[in-house]
Amino acid sequence: MDASERRPYLKEDMEIIRTPEEMQERARALRRAGGTVGFVPTMGFLHEGHLSLMRIVRERADTVIASIFLNPTQFGPNEDLDAYPRDFERDEVLCREAGVDILFYPTAENMYAADASVWVDEEALSSVLCGAARPGHFRGVCTIVAKLLNIVQPDFMVMGEKDAQQLRVLRRMVRDLHFPVEIVSGPTIREPDGLAMSSRNKYLSPAERAEAVCLFQALEKAKALFAEGECTAEKIKAALHEIITVTSGEVDYIEIVDDETLQPLELLQKPVLVALAVKFSGARLIDNTVLA
Ligand code: PAF
């Protein structure tokens, strides 16, 4: 198969905009023109999960805008910012293939003034799960997404369900700060064995990659137990622990929480989010499912 057969569509005229001022000016012009603008924010090193979100926008909007910005403020001092994978040339081609009209690709200097002193802090949903393990993470996410929304001014933004807590925190931010934007969610895209796609999967050794399917297997177990009528959170969590602990992965958390408040539940009586985070030597992976 030659390259043209493999890549049937390439958006030759995709614009790349590098400054917030230029992007904001372009966004204003798009709003004046009256079409619908959809937006996918990313940190780059794109995979099928991101591209599926871009395709959701392509189907619903007149203009597809994506951003690539590796946001330093959502990484803690001992986290993987420096090692986070980057490949802008590859990402650019993938965006063209996904039908992106405008790619916003700013620098950290352009996004944060050296003396920046305003932050967006969500205080309820951010304190649990990944927020407990990564203090300050959601403050960084909320701040950058608030900035991006002010710059891009989309009618709707599409986010992946894999980042379940992020999705809920950002919905709360949009509600509480009256951002005039709809948040649309896209399903988690998985590898053939069930591992959720993530830019961080690249860090796994071949042995860890093989074991990493345990997150998906654990979630499948939770679904099966729930379908059999098991409603005790402790019992379900214990079964999930058993699946993870036979691997080299270290459980960061396995939680069953209220799907809306993210508070832990003892009994599964209403929609619940089963969320897990597992650390391998190469990467900390997260995954989740909703049981309703
Ligand atoms: O999910 C991500 O990739 C990031 O957290 C986001 C939403 C692009 C903000 O930097």
Side-chain angles (χ1 to χ4, degrees), residues 41 53 122 125-126 129-130 137-138 141-142 145 157-175 182-188 259-260 262 273 286 288 290:
L53 305 180
E122 190 288 323
L125 308 176
S126 297
L129 306 176
C130 286
H137 170 68
F138 287 111
V141 170
C142 285
V145 173
M157 168 171 77
V158 184
M159 316 227 53
E161 284 162 14
K162 174 174 165 281
D163 295 309
Q165 187 176 11
Q166 170 171 281
L167 182 60
R168 285 154 182 76
V169 167
L170 290 173
R171 282 195 200 284
R172 181 66 64 94
M173 178 188 86
V174 161
R175 184 197 76 180
E182 181 196 354
I183 299 188
V184 174
S185 69
T188 302
D259 189 37
E260 236 180 86
L262 302 188
L273 178 73
I286 58 171
N288 71 86
V290 173

Side-chain angles (χ1 to χ4, degrees), residues 43-230:
M43 296 205 299
F45 210 71
L46 304 177
H47 51 69
E48 191 49 37
H50 299 111
L51 303 179
S52 69
L53 305 180
M54 292 172 188
R55 286 188 209 109
I56 292 176
V57 178
R58 183 69 288 162
E59 275 171 20
R60 294 176 49 147
D62 298 306
T63 305
V64 183
I65 305 183
S67 64
I68 295 182
F69 179 64
L70 189 49
N71 174 36
T73 66
Q74 68 189 76
F75 289 80
N78 300 318
E79 292 185 354
D80 57 350
L81 174 63
D82 291 340
Y84 199 89
R86 302 154 215 238
D87 189 343
F88 181 70
E89 280 71 34
R90 177 177 159 279
D91 286 348
E92 185 190 327
V93 173
L94 291 172
C95 286
R96 288 182 193 278
E97 286 178 4
V100 170
D101 297 297
I102 302 176
L103 177 57
F104 179 46
Y105 181 53
T107 61
E109 292 69 32
N110 280 337
M111 288 302 281
Y112 289 100
D115 59 351
S117 55
V118 177
W119 303 94
V120 182
D121 222 343
E122 190 288 323
E123 292 183 334
L125 308 176
S126 297
S127 59
V128 295
L129 306 176
C130 286
R134 304 182 66 190
H137 170 68
F138 287 111
R139 183 175 97 139
V141 170
C142 285
T143 302
I144 194 62
V145 173
K147 283 151 122 6
L148 289 167
L149 290 175
N150 283 333
I151 294 167
V152 174
Q153 302 164 47
D155 295 286
F156 68 96
M157 168 171 77
V158 184
M159 316 227 53
E161 284 162 14
K162 174 174 165 281
D163 295 309
Q165 187 176 11
Q166 170 171 281
L167 182 60
R168 285 154 182 76
V169 167
L170 290 173
R171 282 195 200 284
R172 181 66 64 94
M173 178 188 86
V174 161
R175 184 197 76 180
D176 287 359
L177 297 184
H178 301 275
F179 276 93
V181 68
E182 181 196 354
I183 299 188
V184 174
S185 69
T188 302
I189 305 296
R190 299 182 178 280
E191 301 287 355
D193 67 354
L195 176 66
M197 288 194 186
S198 161
S199 306
R200 290 189 166 97
N201 291 350
K202 180 186 154 63
Y203 299 145
L204 300 169
S205 69
E208 287 177 332
R209 168 63 191 83
E211 288 180 327
V213 69
C214 68
L215 280 88
F216 175 67
Q217 287 167 344
L219 294 173
E220 290 296 295
K221 181 73 180 177
K223 282 188 210 165
L225 289 171
F226 184 64
E228 285 162 20
E230 182 57 71

Side-chain angles (χ1 to χ4, degrees), residues 27-39:
R28 266 192 224 111
L30 286 168
R31 292 199 79 77
R32 279 195 299 270
T36 315
V37 175
F39 174 51

